[in-house]
Amino acid sequence: MAQVGSGEVAKLAVLFERHHRALFRYFVSLNRNRELSEDLVQDVFFRMLRYRTSYDPNQSFTAWMYQIARNANVDQAQKRRAEVVGIEDFNARRPERVNSAPGPEESAAKLQDLDLQKRALDRLPQDKRELLVLSRFQDMKYEDIAAVLGCEVGTVKVRVFRAMRTLEQIYFTLAGEKTA
């Protein structure tokens, strides 16, 4: 990014290749809309180009990129506030790569569990879902998340812990509804 900031804008293509999939997963995890997520990824790279001189090579590139991504997501949410966004199955019932094929009962149980996990994540408040997406699905370090959110690392740790507890409560509530 330092090279892009100094005028070698063609180097942005290298950054795109390295980071567009992670950004796409981040947006899909938050919005559950593939087309919107693709648009947001494009928007992030346009913004990176536009604000290239604001990048500080002494800071984490990942944190800077996700701060831009977060801002793009917030801006898009404000634009579509009155719109109903369809929920797509991000996990898309991907087949598990296992040496032996599971039986129909095991497959059904896994699909139900994935569905339950997805529904629980969907019911989390946006701020808690974003924290879990960044820390668990994007594998960001707490230091980088703190830079993105503009808070202390300890605050991030506490918020992630609380988000996990809330997710667990929602999950078990949903699981209890299924068995009742």
Side-chain angles (χ1 to χ4, degrees):
M1 190 62 214
Q3 292 173 327
V4 173
S6 68
E8 295 180 53
V9 293
K11 296 288 185 176
L12 191 64
V14 173
L15 293 174
F16 180 83
E17 284 304 313
R18 285 183 189 159
H19 300 285
H20 77 278
R21 286 180 193 91
L23 282 171
F24 177 75
R25 285 190 308 269
Y26 167 73
F27 287 128
V28 168
S29 295
L30 292 177
N31 300 314
R32 304 285 191 233
N33 183 310
R34 290 183 181 276
E35 291 81 21
L36 175 62
S37 297
E38 290 170 356
D39 292 344
L40 285 167
V41 168
Q42 296 263 335
D43 187 30
V44 167
F45 283 94
F46 284 128
R47 288 177 185 215
M48 287 170 64
L49 187 58
R50 184 180 318 137
Y51 302 118
R52 66 186 176 267
T53 58
S54 72
Y55 173 68
D56 179 1
N58 297 319
Q59 301 298 319
S60 165
F61 168 75
T62 304
W64 182 77
M65 178 181 72
Y66 277 101
Q67 181 64 55
I68 291 173
R70 187 170 192 252
N71 291 340
N73 190 54
V74 167
D75 292 349
Q76 187 60 250
Q78 289 173 347
K79 288 179 186 175
R80 68 179 199 282
R81 192 160 277 180
E83 213 177 291
V84 176
V85 178
I87 297 175
E88 292 185 10
D89 189 2
F90 174 64
N91 289 327
R93 309 241 191 270
R94 290 181 271 182
E96 301 270 336
R97 293 188 178 150
V98 185
N99 292 341
S100 61
E105 288 180 13
E106 188 179 339
S107 293
K110 283 184 181 180
L111 289 177
Q112 284 178 343
D113 190 52
L114 280 174
D115 183 56
L116 207 53
Q117 290 173 13
K118 181 186 151 310
R119 286 178 40 219
L121 192 61
D122 287 343
R123 290 190 181 184
L124 269 179
Q126 179 71 18
D127 59 329
K128 290 182 179 185
R129 184 179 331 135
E130 181 181 32
L131 270 171
L132 291 181
V133 166
L134 290 172
S135 67
R136 300 298 190 247
F137 301 123
Q138 299 304 113
D139 295 323
M140 282 183 68
K141 295 177 182 174
Y142 287 153
E143 293 81 10
D144 290 340
I145 296 171
V148 168
L149 300 179
C151 63
E152 297 295 321
V153 174
T155 303
V156 171
K157 290 178 182 180
V158 169
R159 288 180 183 172
V160 168
F161 175 77
R162 289 179 181 163
M164 287 298 292
R165 289 189 74 186
T166 303
L167 181 64
E168 180 183 36
Q169 291 169 349
I170 294 169
Y171 177 86
F172 286 118
T173 299
L174 291 173
E177 290 174 4
K178 280 201 159 207
T179 60

